[in-house]
Amino acid sequence: MPTLTPAPDLPACVTVLTCGQHPLTAASDRNFYCPCGSWVSVEGARDIDASDKSVWAVTRAGHLVTLPDPADAWKRYVEARTIMENPLIWGPELEDAHRAFLGALSELEAARHLGLKLMETADVQIGRIYLACVLNPDGTLNGSNASALGWPCEPCSPRATDPYYQKRYPCRNPRAHAWGQVRDWERNRLPGEAPRNYVVRSPLAPDLPTARRLAAQKCAARAAALTA
């Protein structure tokens, strides 16, 4: 009997359909097979998870997985942000909102990375890492500062009177932070300093190394196009 099993290479909110040992993989007949001979149809897989708050998806490797319904995650995301952005709410209620925000965000990011379409009202920043990039003279990437939704963020936190007690709340505005960084670099260029070019790249990426690799590829492709 196939089972749903957490997979170490997938987000924690995602479970993969297995025969007990191996993931079942999509075939041309729209069924899912295991090397041991086990198989299941999409309809049969749905009977394994009868939850009305989960959806099925297929990974790039062809494995059938289930994850929380993005519509439900989006509802919890909005509710948590509403609390987080209320300056009159402090203490345990705010901390609970942070946890709810991060949990819902991880589910939405998983859905986006698995190719599921989010609702039209969903925050376009979900799943993206925003990089304020410094370019070399030839237009290739020299370095970058990164921010993303949910990362520990000082600008998104109330300013403490004592820096020792400054907290970092989950980031809610990474795109604004990235463009703000670029403007600061441009504004604070030292007299006589050689001009530098700055851009913001925002790849869909599951982690920072992947985001920086994709940003470097984008910058290199752009530089090559301009010199062709």
Side-chain angles (χ1 to χ4, degrees):
M1 176 67 180
T3 59
L4 289 169
T5 308
D9 57 338
L10 294 172
C13 65
V14 178
T15 54
V16 61
L17 188 69
T18 73
C19 68
Q21 291 184 321
H22 307 289
L24 281 83
T25 304
S28 58
D29 62 2
R30 295 173 59 85
N31 293 322
F32 293 81
Y33 293 87
C34 174
C36 73
S38 301
W39 70 277
V40 67
S41 65
V42 173
E43 292 73 18
R46 287 175 178 148
D47 292 337
I48 297 172
D49 187 315
S51 170
D52 61 355
K53 289 191 176 181
S54 65
V55 295
W56 288 94
V58 178
T59 69
R60 290 182 179 178
H63 301 150
L64 189 63
V65 299
T66 183
L67 66 156
D69 186 347
D72 181 67
W74 174 243
K75 179 181 177 181
R76 288 183 277 112
Y77 174 96
V78 171
E79 290 173 347
R81 280 200 65 154
T82 300
I83 295 173
M84 291 166 63
E85 292 171 358
N86 186 337
L88 301 179
I89 296 178
W90 292 89
E93 186 177 0
L94 181 60
E95 297 302 319
D96 288 345
H98 289 170
R99 285 188 288 271
F101 172 81
L102 293 174
L105 175 60
S106 68
E107 295 172 15
L108 290 166
E109 288 177 335
R112 173 154 280 175
H113 288 303
L114 285 169
L116 298 183
K117 184 177 180 180
L118 303 186
M119 51 295 309
E120 292 183 359
T121 55
D123 191 334
V124 296
Q125 299 174 115
I126 292 171
R128 296 187 180 277
I129 295 179
Y130 285 79
L131 299 161
C133 300
V134 182
L135 303 183
N136 293 312
D138 64 357
T140 57
L141 183 65
N142 179 276
S144 62
N145 287 352
S147 57
L149 281 173
W151 288 11
C153 181
E154 191 171 314
C156 285
S157 309
R159 181 65 57 187
T161 54
D162 185 340
Y164 181 80
Y165 294 103
Q166 179 63 49
K167 294 184 177 181
R168 292 176 180 266
Y169 288 177
C171 182
R172 303 189 302 278
N173 299 293
R175 179 171 55 182
H177 299 334
W179 282 108
Q181 177 69 82
V182 164
R183 287 192 293 269
D184 285 345
W185 283 338
E186 292 173 339
R187 185 168 52 246
N188 296 326
R189 182 179 290 128
L190 297 174
E193 182 181 2
R196 282 185 177 271
N197 291 322
Y198 308 105
V199 296
V200 171
R201 299 290 183 217
S202 55
L204 282 169
D207 52 52
L208 182 54
T210 301
R212 285 195 162 131
R213 175 176 56 80
L214 293 174
Q217 292 174 354
K218 181 74 171 181
C219 292
R222 176 66 175 167
L226 292 175
T227 57

